[in-house]
Amino acid sequence: MPALVSAALGALALFLAGFVRGGLRYSADPELIFGASYALGGLGLMGILAAGIAFGANLRER
């Protein structure tokens, strides 16, 4: 169950990164938007990767 939550939060972070990146057009500070977008994207990828590792470890134990 924690792996599913991690995967869901990772997907949500990637979804939010897309919205943050979409706000670039209306931003006065584009570097801030790029930084936030990359940070959220990295967080999302790490969450999905952690879920994959947890699923793999769970399958190996069985």
Side-chain angles (χ1 to χ4, degrees):
M1 186 63 157
L4 290 176
V5 173
S6 178
L9 289 176
L12 177 66
L14 287 176
F15 185 70
L16 288 175
F19 271 111
V20 168
R21 188 74 180 257
L24 180 64
R25 180 182 304 163
Y26 305 110
S27 174
D29 189 7
E31 288 86 11
L32 180 65
I33 297 297
F34 279 127
S37 175
Y38 290 141
L40 282 170
L43 180 70
L45 290 176
M46 289 301 112
I48 292 172
L49 180 66
I53 291 170
F55 277 131
N58 190 16
L59 291 175
R60 189 171 186 191
E61 290 176 0
R62 291 184 182 185

